[in-house]
Amino acid sequence: MRNIKKRFGNIQALAGVHLDLRENEIHGLVGDNGSGKSTLVKVLVGLHKPNDGEIRIRGDRVHIDNPKEAREYGISTVYQDLALAPDLTVAENIYLGRYPKKRVGPIPVVDYGKMKETASEVLRERLNIDIDPTSEVENLSGGERQAVAIARALIVDPEIIIMDEPMSSLSADSVKRVKQLVKNLRDEGVTVLLISHNLQEVFDLTNTLTILDNGHYVGRVQTDSITEDDVVRMMVGGKVPEEIEDQVDTTPTFSSVAGD
Amino acid sequence: MSESDATTSTEQRLDRIVSKELVDFVRDNIIWPLLLLVFLGFSVLLPIFSTWNNIEALLYGSAALGAVVLAETICLLSGHFDLSVGSLTGFTAITAGVFMVEWFPNAPGIVGIVFIIGLGGFLGLLNGISIGYLEVNPFLQTLSFLIIFRGGIEVVSTATFIDLPESYQFVGGGSIGGIPFALIVMLGLLVVLHFVLTYTSFGRHIYAVGSDKEAAEEAGIDVKNTVLLVYVISGMLCGLAGLMFTGYIGAASPTIGARILFPAFAGAIIGGVSLFGGAGKVTDAAGGILLLGTIQVGLTLLNVDPTAIDVVNGAILLGAILLYTFEERAAEFGGAPSDG
């Protein structure tokens, strides 16, 4: 994503932000409240239309108008609010908006059998959690809901998975499980964009970071080349400290995966 | 955590899930045993009550109202509601009456049928554009339509039209082999709507939007279009109800559609359709309207004052709403297990 600008009325939510994602990496997107992280993600998945800027995938410029199109480009999202429909079953939530079909005569109908079977398989085999796919989501715990939201993102075999605060309000066990899952995804070749307020988590998991401040792009950096304090200073001050200037890419060149 | 603590926690969690699912089950299925109980009660008090003639009259009388209940039900399932269903039913009935008698007196009945359902769909489309795309509050939008089209009925005509083609009146007033055609239409409608809502993507999108609009949008569902289509279908059902009422009473009267908003809501909610969207079944909504109809007929045969019947209906609605409140509390106080 290059030079993304987004304005809501008089508020400049994004003022020329860049985001460069590469294969096989866990990339952190950090910034204080109101820094534009969620807005940037919503632009990437087509929930917000940018006023300026461009998105390229493997060098090709793309226009993403809605989350469905984002999925077609291999981008899946686990939203902070999980985006689950509480009255619907686990299986339906995993397939929300893209139900598998079978034909009854000439009429295509929702294939509940396949939905149940695959949902159960993804939860058990990829997330190592046993949840009845016919349970209504409103009857699940926070950790189980998180697993359902992640299973939904996985079911399309994404190339990029965006996880917005995936570990907030989870128990220690669930956090451990999500962390392991994030690492597994990277090992499988999926690029993970991790958005988190918890810098400890970010430093535990990510290879690279993009730092935003008040809608502005501060820089892109290798996680192991800086400290948490450096990141905090960039998040609140919006400027790169002199002593680490050579570590931070403030004018990204973009890789061949997500840039040109 | 010790082993006994873990066991207790798991048991408590299972208890909570079981109690929540029990409440859900009661909400989803209570209508049919309740209907049977009320029916048997009236049958004991009134031997005439369980005769086929009475049952047929009850079903026949409920069919047209059933279409309005379904119009409201589909809106409720999508997390919206429609205060204008009664006005739209009345307006489509009287306008189609004028259309058939004054504007096109020689037109065959089928033209009138297409006109009345099309008019309902068009008015529903206006509701849908306003609520779905312009994001006007459904309460304000449909309240406006309630007032506009209630007044619109008087503007179109204050007269009653009786010279309507037989084929036009057949849908609401005819019969095949002794079975009222309105009943066949209602059964067909229930089958079709149940199929659409349960087995098609569009139907599941209605439930998803009703359960959590933002989640549906983030999952890539076209929420605006779904809401638009919900109101179009609701409007078409109002048109169909107008047609059925016209056939049932044998005339297009300006009184059609008056005082049916309450039964439309009550039938749906008593039948287990959630006031907050995303839960309920059309078949159970039909049970709701049958329950209201059974009580209405039973109390009338017992010579109970009509205003007292309204009190009873209101009390039943209150009971259904209390059941929902209980269900919400059950969820708050332990329906969803904690993460620990």
Side-chain angles (χ1 to χ4, degrees):
Chain A
M1 299 176 84
R2 181 182 290 178
N3 198 31
I4 301 292
K5 292 180 184 167
K6 179 66 189 172
R7 177 179 278 280
F8 297 103
N10 291 328
I11 299 164
Q12 186 78 49
L14 297 172
V17 170
H18 317 291
L19 180 69
D20 179 19
L21 301 176
R22 297 171 194 181
E23 247 175 307
N24 285 352
E25 74 169 3
I26 303 172
H27 185 85
L29 180 61
V30 295
D32 217 344
N33 284 338
S35 61
K37 303 185 298 289
S38 293
T39 307
L40 186 65
V41 166
K42 286 186 175 174
V43 169
L44 179 57
V45 299
L47 282 169
H48 290 330
K49 282 193 172 55
N51 300 113
D52 200 3
E54 62 180 31
I55 302 173
R56 286 177 183 262
I57 296 176
R58 292 198 176 86
D60 297 326
R61 190 165 181 180
V62 297
H63 294 277
I64 300 173
D65 287 328
N66 55 56
K68 205 173 161 189
E69 282 184 19
R71 278 201 304 267
E72 283 160 13
Y73 285 114
I75 304 168
S76 264
T77 313
V78 181
Y79 294 96
Q80 185 173 5
D81 63 3
L82 303 182
L84 299 174
D87 300 288
L88 303 187
T89 65
V90 167
E92 274 199 79
N93 267 282
I94 290 175
Y95 278 100
L96 202 62
R98 51 176 186 281
Y99 302 111
K101 302 273 178 54
K102 65 178 179 185
R103 286 197 167 270
V104 174
I107 307 165
V109 298
V110 175
D111 188 344
Y112 282 99
K114 187 180 175 190
M115 206 155 72
K116 216 165 76 176
E117 197 180 311
T118 323
S120 187
E121 204 176 286
V122 170
L123 287 164
R124 209 176 40 244
E125 289 177 12
R126 295 196 71 178
L127 301 177
N128 195 27
I129 188 167
D130 204 11
I131 305 174
D132 178 0
T134 61
S135 285
E136 285 178 10
V137 160
E138 64 184 347
N139 296 327
L140 303 183
S141 70
E144 289 167 334
R145 288 178 196 216
Q146 187 83 38
V148 173
I150 295 172
R152 180 162 76 200
L154 294 178
I155 206 107
V156 289
D157 289 326
E159 289 181 59
I160 299 171
I161 184 163
I162 303 165
M163 302 178 105
D164 193 353
E165 301 286 358
M167 285 161 274
S168 61
S169 71
L170 287 189
S171 69
D173 275 354
S174 301
V175 166
K176 213 166 141 187
R177 192 161 52 212
V178 172
K179 279 184 176 177
Q180 190 53 50
L181 169 78
V182 170
K183 288 175 186 165
N184 291 348
L185 286 170
R186 179 202 47 206
D187 295 345
E188 289 168 22
V190 177
T191 301
V192 180
L193 175 62
L194 180 73
I195 301 160
S196 177
H197 273 95
N198 187 330
L199 287 183
Q200 176 83 53
E201 274 169 18
V202 172
F203 271 78
D204 278 355
L205 289 169
T206 63
N207 312 105
T208 49
L209 287 177
T210 291
I211 300 148
L212 302 183
D213 174 51
N214 203 19
H216 291 84
Y217 176 79
V218 181
R220 186 182 201 278
V221 64
Q222 294 283 333
T223 312
D224 58 9
S225 67
I226 54 165
T227 65
E228 282 185 39
D229 284 346
D230 294 331
V231 174
V232 171
R233 278 194 285 169
M234 287 190 275
M235 277 167 57
V236 296
K239 289 200 172 93
V240 180
E242 270 178 36
E243 62 272 25
I244 55 163
E245 261 178 2
D246 55 338
Q247 309 286 341
V248 182
D249 187 357
T250 52
T251 49
T253 49
F254 292 96
S255 70
S256 61
V257 176
D260 56 2
Chain B
M1 189 189 277
S2 71
E3 198 176 319
S4 63
D5 283 345
T7 311
T8 311
S9 167
T10 307
E11 280 172 1
Q12 283 172 346
R13 197 173 130 173
L14 275 173
D15 284 348
R16 285 168 185 155
I17 294 172
V18 169
S19 65
K20 175 68 176 67
E21 289 188 345
L22 187 66
V23 174
D24 284 351
F25 181 79
V26 170
R27 182 199 68 192
D28 292 345
N29 298 286
I30 197 169
I31 189 65
W32 300 108
L34 193 62
L35 178 61
L36 184 68
L37 204 68
V38 170
F39 184 83
L40 290 175
F42 280 120
S43 300
V44 171
L45 293 171
L46 296 157
I48 190 182
F49 199 79
S50 54
T51 61
W52 171 243
N53 280 348
N54 187 56
I55 294 170
E56 190 185 23
L58 195 159
L59 293 173
Y60 192 22
S62 302
L65 189 53
V68 191
V69 173
L70 293 179
E72 194 62 68
T73 297
I74 193 165
C75 290
L76 286 170
L77 288 175
S78 74
H80 295 74
F81 55 85
D82 190 347
L83 298 175
S84 65
V85 284
S87 293
L88 295 193
T89 299
F91 185 78
T92 53
I94 198 71
T95 309
V98 173
F99 177 88
M100 294 301 289
V101 175
E102 291 186 355
W103 299 344
F104 298 97
N106 298 319
I110 186 69
V111 174
I113 293 170
V114 171
F115 176 80
I116 193 168
I117 294 174
L119 178 62
F122 174 71
L123 299 177
L125 176 73
L126 299 181
N127 264 336
I129 290 171
S130 179
I131 295 164
Y133 280 86
L134 305 178
E135 297 183 357
V136 173
N137 182 304
F139 177 83
L140 298 176
Q141 168 61 34
T142 59
L143 179 65
S144 304
F145 264 33
L146 180 155
I147 297 163
I148 291 168
F149 290 104
R150 179 50 47 198
I153 292 169
E154 304 291 321
V155 172
V156 171
S157 180
T158 51
T160 295
F161 298 92
I162 51 170
D163 295 329
L164 295 159
E166 264 185 40
S167 55
Y168 181 77
Q169 296 187 59
F170 187 78
V171 177
S175 61
I176 294 177
I179 300 169
F181 189 62
L183 274 185
I184 299 169
V185 170
M186 187 45 55
L187 282 174
L189 207 55
L190 283 172
V191 170
V192 169
L193 278 178
H194 176 72
F195 177 83
V196 169
L197 288 167
T198 311
Y199 294 104
T200 68
S201 291
F202 170 64
R204 300 321 293 166
H205 290 173
I206 292 175
Y207 278 90
V209 171
S211 185
D212 192 317
K213 204 171 171 178
E214 278 182 24
E217 193 164 26
E218 287 171 346
I221 292 171
D222 189 340
V223 172
K224 289 177 179 177
N225 208 37
T226 304
V227 173
L228 176 93
L229 289 172
V230 160
Y231 278 98
V232 170
I233 294 169
S234 176
M236 290 170 78
L237 288 167
C238 289
L240 179 66
L243 176 70
M244 289 166 83
F245 274 118
T246 302
Y248 182 63
I249 63 173
S253 154
T255 59
I256 288 176
R259 300 188 68 198
I260 59 170
L261 178 58
F262 167 76
F265 263 105
I269 291 160
I270 292 167
V273 176
S274 168
L275 264 173
F276 313 107
K281 289 184 280 190
V282 283
T283 42
D284 290 345
I289 195 61
L290 284 178
L291 181 67
L292 287 179
T294 303
I295 291 168
Q296 173 100 26
V297 171
L299 294 181
T300 306
L301 289 174
L302 285 170
N303 291 321
V304 173
D305 189 89
T307 48
I309 297 175
D310 283 347
V311 173
V312 173
N313 285 340
I316 294 167
L317 179 62
L318 179 65
I321 290 170
L322 287 176
L323 181 66
Y324 276 117
T325 309
F326 172 64
E327 184 201 26
E328 291 297 309
R329 294 275 158 80
E332 279 170 26
F333 288 105
S338 69
D339 206 26

